[in-house]
Amino acid sequence: MTNVSAKGADPNFPSVDQSDRTVPVNLRQTGRPDIKLLISTRARKSPYWHLAIEAGCWRAEVYNRMYLPRGYVPEEDGGSAAEYEALTQRVTLWDIAAARQIRVQGPEATEFVNYVVTRDVTRLAAMRAAYVVLCDSNGRMINDPLLLKISPEEYWFSISDSDLSLWLKGVNVGKGFDVRIQELDVSPVQIQGAKANELMADLIGDVASEMPAFGLAETEIDGLPVLVSRTGFSGEAGYEVYLKNSSIHAERMWDAILRAGEKYGLLVTGPIQPHRITSGILAWGQDVDNEMVPFQVGLASHIPRKKASDYIGREALERMRDDIAAGNPPYKLTMVGLKMEGDPIQGYLSDFWLVAPSPDSEPVGFVTSASFAPKLQANVALARLPIELAEPGTRVYVSQPTGDSTTKSVPAVVSAFPIE
């Protein structure tokens, strides 16, 4: 029989304290490989996938075991810069069906959701949305989805990149709340950009202007039932449209949006990075993952001190809060913004870039997302750095791949959010 210590640790398998990690667990500095993404039946395609291909999609990634379009305009025609211009000057349409919709429904839906998320959902009004955090019993993050409260007996999780439905079902095996947990045939698109408000007014009428930020509305587009939220992932004005029975009606709604968007110069694109990075909007799997705790990534406001009911991770998170107040945080790295020198960054990072306090020192952190921000005419990034280097104005050095299996040291300055 294995000898287990008093703390429950198996001496043959010593635990790893993730707070000590100064390089990402999935770091594989292999450069940008010249390969193509295999499109097969193993990963699910969104009901808009063929429409995205028709619109010119040439780059995609896998998110929630689905294909997520991430690029449409060819590089020779302006690439991501042209897509950024469409977002900031006109309006864009994104296929984000990979943000799968998990419904929790039943007499004890509020009690169940309140138990699995850190914030108090009893204080959230019906037909409102909220960014929420779910943690495990150790306070490490499980997911950071958008929560849609349809009623006290019905909630939708618009999930980030993880099998949240399995987590929710697993939790309820032991707890036995009177709820049903299922994925819906609902596929969202995002309408984001400077002209998003005008386009949505054409599509759904006065409902668009009457919706507050994070508001929800049941309405129709071209006679099709949809749920609309005044939310987005761009930093510009935006909405998310959740099409019901999307496996049947995808083409009809997509075409209706394209027709209405013609006069606004609508462009089909994927999510666009510069605005979300400068705004400090985190991307699951890039900037935040299940080794992190909310306090590391600026989410302390989502961990209430006086929530009336218990929730998963509460004890661990309260202990962390006390340790932080005492000057003894249970982690070494925290999320920061960076303004980087060097040539404009093209496309997306194929790996994490290591960060050091000087050009010739060992890495102490890493860049998680980076992009060229046209508005600032500078490279911007999100990075995890030691707390002692997180003060705005601190100078650090990023090890940037050159494309020939070598790297160059690029100066960068720590910035607060929004990055300016």
Side-chain angles (χ1 to χ4, degrees):
M1 181 177 294
T2 301
N3 178 27
V4 178
S5 71
K7 292 185 177 180
D10 183 343
N12 296 312
F13 296 93
S15 63
V16 175
D17 182 358
Q18 291 95 334
S19 67
D20 287 338
R21 191 187 301 284
T22 57
V23 296
V25 64
N26 57 338
L27 177 71
R28 301 290 184 272
Q29 293 282 24
T30 54
R32 191 177 299 278
D34 185 18
I35 62 173
K36 292 184 178 180
L37 176 68
L38 175 64
I39 305 298
S40 72
T41 56
R42 183 177 296 277
R44 199 167 89 189
K45 301 178 183 69
S46 108
Y48 312 113
W49 174 253
H50 61 297
L51 303 168
I53 298 302
E54 289 176 7
C57 175
W58 61 271
R59 175 173 57 195
E61 64 181 351
V62 175
Y63 189 95
N64 275 326
R65 291 177 285 114
M66 292 181 65
Y67 297 113
L68 174 63
R70 293 303 300 265
Y72 288 81
V73 179
E75 296 290 359
E76 59 270 22
D77 294 331
S80 57
E83 295 181 3
Y84 177 87
E85 187 274 337
L87 174 71
T88 55
Q89 303 299 319
R90 305 192 309 273
V91 65
T92 60
L93 170 63
W94 310 353
D95 168 13
I96 58 155
R100 295 157 71 159
Q101 304 303 301
I102 309 301
R103 182 172 67 185
V104 176
Q105 185 178 39
E108 295 183 322
T110 292
E111 291 83 352
F112 175 78
V113 173
N114 217 30
Y115 179 65
V116 297
V117 306
T118 60
R119 71 182 297 165
D120 188 350
V121 301
T122 65
R123 300 168 66 89
L124 182 66
M127 295 304 288
R128 294 299 298 266
Y131 175 79
V132 296
V133 174
L134 295 89
C135 294
D136 65 17
S137 59
N138 294 315
R140 299 195 185 279
M141 294 176 66
I142 293 294
N143 204 254
D144 66 337
L146 186 69
L147 178 70
L148 314 180
K149 185 173 183 176
I150 312 302
S151 75
E153 295 192 359
E154 182 176 0
Y155 295 79
W156 296 5
F157 286 96
S158 186
I159 67 175
S160 298
D161 189 15
S162 70
D163 283 315
L164 185 60
S165 63
L166 300 181
W167 168 261
L168 297 176
K169 290 178 180 180
V171 166
N172 208 35
V173 167
K175 301 302 292 186
F177 286 93
D178 186 4
V179 294
R180 184 183 181 193
I181 302 166
Q182 66 178 140
E183 184 171 353
L184 300 175
D185 182 14
V186 171
S187 298
V189 299
Q190 287 202 21
I191 295 175
Q192 302 285 313
K195 301 294 184 181
N197 293 336
E198 291 94 324
L199 172 55
M200 288 301 298
D202 289 351
L203 288 168
I204 64 175
D206 292 341
V207 174
S209 60
E210 294 168 356
M211 292 174 63
F214 288 90
L216 301 178
E218 294 273 10
T219 184
E220 293 183 348
I221 291 180
D222 197 32
L224 300 173
V226 297
L227 179 70
V228 176
S229 65
R230 195 160 188 173
T231 54
F233 196 63
S234 70
E236 289 284 340
Y239 300 77
E240 294 179 74
V241 179
Y242 303 83
L243 174 63
K244 300 178 180 180
N245 299 313
S246 58
S247 59
I248 301 172
H249 300 308
E251 293 89 346
R252 180 172 162 185
M253 189 188 76
W254 184 275
D255 289 343
I257 294 172
L258 291 184
R259 289 195 303 272
E262 284 182 5
K263 69 178 181 179
Y264 301 109
L266 180 145
L267 184 68
V268 179
T269 74
I272 298 167
Q273 287 215 98
H275 261 29
R276 79 156 186 88
I277 292 175
T278 55
S279 301
I281 300 175
L282 306 178
W284 186 269
Q286 289 174 254
D287 310 309
V288 61
D289 56 38
N290 56 19
E291 289 191 344
M292 308 292 284
V293 301
F295 302 110
Q296 283 179 275
V297 288
L299 297 178
S301 63
H302 293 269
I303 314 299
R305 287 183 177 274
K306 298 181 179 180
K307 183 173 176 179
S309 59
D310 195 19
Y311 62 87
I312 299 173
R314 181 173 192 161
E315 182 179 349
L317 290 166
E318 289 300 330
R319 187 168 58 248
M320 289 179 200
R321 196 199 309 270
D322 291 342
D323 289 342
I324 293 168
N328 186 32
Y331 50 82
K332 294 185 177 180
L333 302 185
T334 190
M335 183 64 65
V336 302
L338 292 180
K339 286 185 72 173
M340 299 169 50
E341 298 181 17
D343 297 333
I345 296 170
Q346 303 296 326
Y348 293 85
L349 304 190
S350 58
D351 214 329
F352 298 92
W353 294 353
L354 300 178
V355 181
S358 65
D360 55 355
S361 59
E362 291 296 313
V364 295
F366 50 94
V367 168
T368 58
S369 297
S371 180
F372 178 74
K375 182 178 179 179
L376 301 178
Q377 286 296 295
N379 292 323
V380 294
L382 298 173
R384 298 184 203 172
L385 290 184
I387 295 170
E388 60 270 21
L389 295 179
E391 183 69 24
T394 302
R395 193 172 183 84
V396 294
Y397 293 83
V398 178
S399 182
Q400 183 176 336
T402 61
D404 59 358
S405 300
T406 62
T407 61
K408 60 181 178 181
S409 185
V410 178
V413 176
V414 174
S415 172
F417 297 113
I419 301 173
E420 297 177 342

